[in-house]
Amino acid sequence: QVRLEESGGGSVQAGGSLRLSCQATGDRYSRICVGWFRQAPGKERELVATIDTVSAVPYYSLSVEGRFTISRDKGRSSASRENGDLVDLQMNSLNGDDTAMYYCAAGLFASCLGGDFSPLHWGQGTQVTVSS
């Protein structure tokens, strides 16, 4: 079983920054790839970025490349005390189009870095609101 604990998010003015964190624990094989998706009201869920937690190689969607940075480190869940991976999404130069619910997701390595990541596990989501 894989657990994804999200933190961060909130409200910020346009041009500002926010940082999202996802603590991933549980079955190592099925969370090698960890990524962030987002969904704005009335829109489809969109892939934002992924990272191979073994090599730390990232993938970014065109809409965030150059503004967002995904990274990973080893971390321990504060809830379960299990060791796992901590995946952060640093978001800079935010604008209104970035307003959405952001979801951490995890899955197999296959399709992790090609823009067609299909997760096996999802977090609960955290809201990001950018005001002008």
Side-chain angles (χ1 to χ4, degrees):
Q1 185 179 2
V2 170
R3 286 165 293 282
L4 302 173
E5 302 170 24
E6 299 149 326
S7 60
S11 298
V12 67
Q13 289 192 327
S17 300
L18 283 173
R19 189 176 189 91
L20 306 181
S21 294
C22 177
Q23 175 69 57
T25 56
D27 176 55
R28 183 68 180 91
Y29 180 70
S30 65
R31 58 172 175 83
I32 287 180
C33 185
V34 178
W36 289 91
F37 288 75
R38 67 186 181 186
Q39 187 167 22
K43 294 187 177 180
E44 292 186 356
R45 190 169 293 186
E46 171 192 18
L47 174 63
V48 175
T50 55
I51 190 166
D52 168 10
T53 59
V54 176
S55 67
V57 173
Y59 164 85
Y60 299 99
S61 69
L62 289 177
S63 62
V64 306
E65 192 167 20
R67 300 187 299 123
F68 290 13
T69 301
I70 189 169
S71 62
R72 71 95 173 91
D73 201 348
K74 295 302 179 183
R76 174 174 289 187
S77 167
S78 59
S80 68
R81 308 303 294 170
E82 286 182 74
N83 292 322
D85 291 295
L86 184 65
V87 175
D88 286 344
L89 185 69
Q90 177 65 40
M91 305 183 294
N92 299 327
S93 301
L94 288 162
N95 59 60
D97 291 337
D98 297 315
T99 294
M101 183 70 78
Y102 283 70
Y103 298 89
C104 179
L108 305 176
F109 174 73
S111 77
C112 183
L113 304 176
D116 57 348
F117 178 47
S118 182
L120 299 174
H121 313 283
W122 292 89
Q124 295 296 312
T126 184
Q127 179 68 37
V128 171
T129 302
V130 183
S131 59
S132 57

